[in-house]
Each structure stands twice: as C-alpha cells, then as structure tokens.
C-alpha cells in the first residue's frame, strides 16, 4: 500500500509562510501542505512608507493566495489558536485540529503594549504605529494630510531587535518628501532608543541633500529614548524633556506573533530561538520558526530575510522528512530604502551558521557608496521597486 504523503502545516501567510509553503510544494510535490492564515489577502509592509507619503496606492500592497492554491497548497482561512505539540496538532480558532508531521510557524510580530507607558491598544488610534501595514498605514496618511503647515511630526523608534531596522528612517525621509511638497514649514523629529542605526551615514547624507533642516534625529544618549506617551495630547516624554507632536508615529517594542508564546516556542525575550541550519525551534521539536518571529543571530528582520529563511527551512524540512541530513545554508539579505521617488540606498549581508547562530560572513556584504552620483541613487530606487515585484511574485504570484 502506498504511504500517506507527509503533512506539513504552515502558520502565517506573510512573506515567510507563503514562501515556505510554495518552496515545500516545489521541492516535493507529494507533500500535503496546508497554510493557516485568517486573512483573505495579505498587506505587504515594504513600500508602505510610500503609501504614507502619498506616492503609492494602498492597493499595490495587497496580495491574495489563489496562486498558492493553484499549486495544491490548501489555504485554511482561520487563525491558529494553539498547538498540541505532543499530538502534533494545530488547533484552529473554531476548535478544529489539523495534524502535522512538521510544523512551520511564521506569525510575524506582535506589538508590545506592556513596554511603553501610555501606549496601549487604544492609543494606536491616536498615535498610529503603522508597523503592520493596513488600516494603520492609512490612518497615519490621513493624519499627515489633516496636519497644518508648520506642524511637528514625531517618530518614536524602539531599541533592537525590531521589524525592519532601516524602516523608521525611510519613513522619516518619505514623510519629509510629502511635507516638502505640501507643508514646507513642517519638521520631522526622530526620537530613538539607540545611538546608531542601519545605513545611518547614507540616510544622513540624503537628508542633508534632499531635505535640509527638515529632519532631526536624536539618539538615546542625547535624550531620544521615549519613556512615556500621553495619547490625548500627543505628548512624548523622554528623560530629557517632552515633545508635543502634531502627528506622532509611535513604533513600539515588539515580540514574536502571539501564537509563538501560546505554543511555547518563544523564550523570555519574546522571540523564538532556532537552529541556524533547520530553523527548528530550540524549545519544541518538530516545530520550525521563520521570519520576523525567529531570532538566532545577525540576520535583520526583513521580508528578504523571511523569504530566504523560508526556502532554507523548506529544504531542511523535506530532507528531515526523508531521513536525510540538511545541508549547511548560506542566506542573503538586501534592504533597499527609498529617500525620495528617485533616491534609493541599500545594504546587503550574507549569513551562515557559526557557533550555533546565523553569523554575518565577513567582507561579503556592504552598503551603497556614500559618494554615489544621483544617477546611482535613481537606479537603486528602480532596483528597490523591482525587488518588491520579484519577491511578491515569488511568494504570492
Ligand atoms: P508577516 O509579514 O507579518 O506575516 C505574518 C502573517 O502571519 C500575517 O499574514 C498574519 O496574519 C499571520 N498570522 C499571525 N498570527 C497567526 C495565527 N495565529 N494563525 C494564522 N496566521 C497568523 N522588509 C524588506 O525586506 N524590505 C523592505 O523594504 C521593508 N520595508 C518595510 C517597511 C515598513 C514600514 C515595515 C513595517 C516593514 C518593512 N519590511 C521590509 C519588513 C517586512 O515587512 C517584514 O520583515 C516581513 O513582513 C516579515 O514577514 P513574516 O512573514 O515573518 O511576517
């Protein structure tokens, strides 16, 4: 009698989960692959800062799951409520159990509402985070449109690790781009919980060239760390004083998506420690974690990373199901940031397992040159959009 096909269940249909489901089916078409994702369509964060700046339509951020279903992946339109690891079952929100041989969990992030006094689930309606793309993105956009010329936009940035390390600075740039065009007496103030940030010299050079005097960045040791917010008055307090904003974008500290804690795969940091070769959880066997929820080394939390980890993890899962040893992976990440429609910069890194973590391969990565001419910046803006088209086609197309 023919053996039943091994079952792999994927929780979360974002860049990580959708890419993993696809890679599994392509590596071994016999596998029964189910993707548990409550939403009918996915809203992508990359390029959502351009939506906030009025440079891009929100519809361009939406992707469905029909492409995956055409390849034989079963989309289960519900949330996973818990995992019975001993029985190898995921329990859906309506109580239905789904059995698995291997489980891949890719729930992205949860915003922490216990980490910044005054910033809770109600405060997000007044001080949007816009760190999960969707209604929050549009709310921040509407607040900028409603703001009077001369207003102060404050962006509060958390300590590492968090989703998309260059994202807040891209956002500051594109908000300045909008203000320059429509409200040129306004300013952007970035209050930061750290003293250095991704692509810092490139961003600062871009701000001087594109938006002189419009963007101010205050690092942790100069009083940038926000300690409390008052949503009603849009006031952000730091150890050095307080700032009253016309529009405040509070990006709070984060942790792995809620199901991670419920499933027992998140540690005390709130993130999920994983093996750097297979992405198997260090806490619960037969469960793999990829994308923003995973932690285990130097890879930044990006859609590029999520997609790269998905492919490596799928290969490892297929090997493990066949009783084979997964190969040692090398993973790449590249993050493009847009400072203006025709001004892009990038950072790239290569990562491989070392001392049980994913470590950066020395000398393999780098950033755009600091002294590049405008033509190169314009080309990088085009590459950034092309990257988005490629990765969304690969994950969802
Ligand atoms: P997500 O994309 O968040 O997907 C998680 C999915 O899991 C969601 O669809 C969710 O509904 C689902 N889910 C959660 N819980 C459950 C559950 N219990 N059951 C079922 N499903 C569940 N990255 C780049 O590479 N380049 C960029 O230019 C870039 N720009 C960015 C700009 C901004 C403003 C932001 C905020 C992020 C940006 N990123 C960028 C980062 C990128 O969006 C994330 O790193 C990426 O989305 C992570 O993918 P993920 O699949 O791990 O999580």
């Amino acid at each position: 009698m023919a053996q039943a096909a091994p079952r792999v269940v994927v929780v979360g249909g974002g860049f990580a989960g959708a890419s993993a489901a696809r890679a599994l089916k392509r590596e071994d078409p016999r596998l029964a692959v189910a993707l548990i994702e409550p939403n009918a369509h996915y809203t992508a964060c990359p390029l959502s800062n351009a939506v906030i700046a009025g440079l891009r339509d929100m519809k361009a951020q939406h992707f469905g799951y029909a492409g995956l279903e055409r390849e034989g992946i079963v989309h289960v339109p519900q949330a996973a409520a818990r995992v019975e690891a001993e029985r190898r079952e995921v329990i859906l929100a309506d109580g239905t159990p789904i059995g698995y041989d291997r489980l891949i969990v890719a729930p992205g992030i949860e915003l922490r509402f216990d980490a910044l006094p005054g910033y809770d689930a109600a405060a997000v309606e007044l001080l949007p985070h816009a760190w999960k793309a969707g209604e929050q993105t549009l709310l921040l956009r509407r607040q900028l449109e409603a703001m009077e010329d001369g207003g102060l936009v404050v962006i509060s940035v958390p300590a590492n690790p968090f989703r998309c390390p260059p994202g807040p600075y891209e956002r500051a740039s594109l908000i300045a781009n909008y203000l320059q065009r429509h409200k040129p007496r306004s300013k952007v103030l970035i209050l930061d919980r750290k003293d250095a940030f991704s692509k810092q010299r490139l961003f600062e050079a871009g701000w001087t060239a594109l938006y002189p005097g419009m963007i101010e960045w205050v690092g942790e040791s100069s009083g940038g760390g926000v300690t409390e917010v008052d949503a009603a008055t849009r006031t952000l307090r730091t150890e050095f004083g307080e700032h009253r904003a016309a529009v405040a974008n509070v990006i709070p500290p984060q942790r792995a998506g809620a199901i991670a804690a419920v499933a027992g795969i998140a540690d005390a940091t709130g993130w999920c420690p994983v093996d750097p070769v297979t992405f198997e959880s260090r806490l619960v066997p037969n469960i793999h974690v990829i994308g923003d929820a995973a932690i285990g080394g130097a890879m930044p939390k990006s859609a590029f990373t999520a997609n790269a980890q998905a492919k490596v993890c799928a290969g490892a899962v297929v090997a493990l199901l066949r009783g084979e040893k997964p190969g040692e992976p090398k993973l790449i990440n590249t993050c493009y940031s847009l400072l203006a429609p025709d001004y892009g910069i990038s950072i790239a890194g290569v990562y491989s397992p070392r001392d049980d973590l994913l470590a950066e391969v020395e000398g393999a990565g780098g950033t755009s040159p600091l002294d590049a001419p405008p033509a190169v910046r314009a080309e990088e803006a085009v590459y950034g959009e092309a990257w988005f088209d490629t990765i969304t086609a690969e994950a969802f197309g």
Side-chain angles (χ1 to χ4, degrees), residues 16 19-20 23 27 290 304-316 391 394:
S19 304
E27 290 232 9
I290 51 172
F304 199 121
T305 290
N307 173 268
Q309 292 183 346
K311 288 184 272 194
V312 168
C313 178
I391 197 142
E394 194 178 300

Side-chain angles (χ1 to χ4, degrees), residues 98-357:
I98 300 200
Y100 63 82
D101 294 299
R102 291 260 164 192
L103 173 64
I104 299 179
V105 179
I109 57 159
E110 208 60 47
L111 302 164
R112 286 186 52 191
F113 292 125
D114 58 347
L116 180 58
Y119 200 69
D120 56 19
V124 306
E125 299 304 327
L126 293 167
L127 316 177
H129 53 79
W131 220 239
K132 288 185 174 191
E135 192 38 48
Q136 279 275 303
T137 313
L138 298 173
L139 177 61
L140 183 54
R141 167 82 193 136
R142 286 196 299 274
Q143 290 192 354
L144 289 169
E145 283 177 318
M147 187 183 88
E148 292 194 3
D149 190 9
L152 177 68
V153 179
V154 183
I155 302 177
S156 163
V157 187
N160 293 324
F162 67 104
R163 159 177 285 182
C164 195
Y169 316 98
E170 177 188 72
R171 176 169 291 173
S173 313
L174 293 182
I175 288 178
N177 183 272
Y178 166 73
L179 298 175
Q180 191 180 57
R181 285 180 284 125
H182 299 282
K183 304 176 186 192
R185 294 189 298 115
S186 311
K187 288 210 167 9
V188 181
L189 173 65
I190 307 168
L191 298 173
D192 211 328
R193 263 270 167 228
K194 52 195 166 312
D195 277 325
F197 62 88
S198 174
K199 294 181 265 193
Q200 182 163 356
R201 292 176 71 207
L202 285 162
F203 272 113
E204 289 177 338
W207 294 342
T208 304
L210 299 166
Y211 313 115
M214 278 188 90
I215 301 177
E216 184 188 356
W217 173 76
V218 184
E220 165 89 4
S221 56
S222 309
V226 174
T227 52
E228 191 181 357
V229 301
D230 179 19
T233 59
R234 291 203 169 92
T235 303
L236 291 85
R237 296 199 180 90
T238 71
E239 277 160 13
F240 288 42
E242 60 180 44
H243 304 269
R244 215 172 157 144
V247 172
N249 168 214
V250 175
I251 305 166
Q254 296 145 34
R255 60 185 167 88
I259 186 71
V262 175
I265 52 177
D267 69 13
T269 67
W271 303 104
C272 304
V274 292
D275 177 276
V277 175
T278 61
F279 290 89
E280 186 162 359
S281 165
R282 293 212 182 275
L283 304 179
V284 183
N286 299 310
I287 303 183
H288 302 248
V289 190
I290 51 172
D292 284 359
I295 195 135
M299 280 194 97
K301 297 185 181 304
S302 75
F304 199 121
T305 290
N307 173 268
Q309 292 183 346
K311 288 184 272 194
V312 168
C313 178
V317 165
V318 168
L320 290 166
L321 288 169
R322 287 179 182 152
E324 296 165 5
K325 187 172 180 287
E328 283 270 305
K330 276 214 167 52
L331 298 97
I332 299 177
N333 175 62
T334 306
C335 276
Y336 293 96
S337 299
L338 213 53
L339 280 72
D342 59 353
Y343 194 114
I345 56 175
S346 64
I347 184 165
V350 181
Y351 304 84
S352 65
R354 195 171 64 221
D355 301 332
D356 256 3
L357 292 171

Side-chain angles (χ1 to χ4, degrees), residues 12 14-16 36-39 42 45-46 80 107-108 163-164 292 302-304 387:
F15 282 104
I36 302 177
E37 164 61 58
N39 298 311
Y42 176 70
C45 285
R163 159 177 285 182
C164 195
D292 284 359
S302 75
F304 199 121
W387 166 79

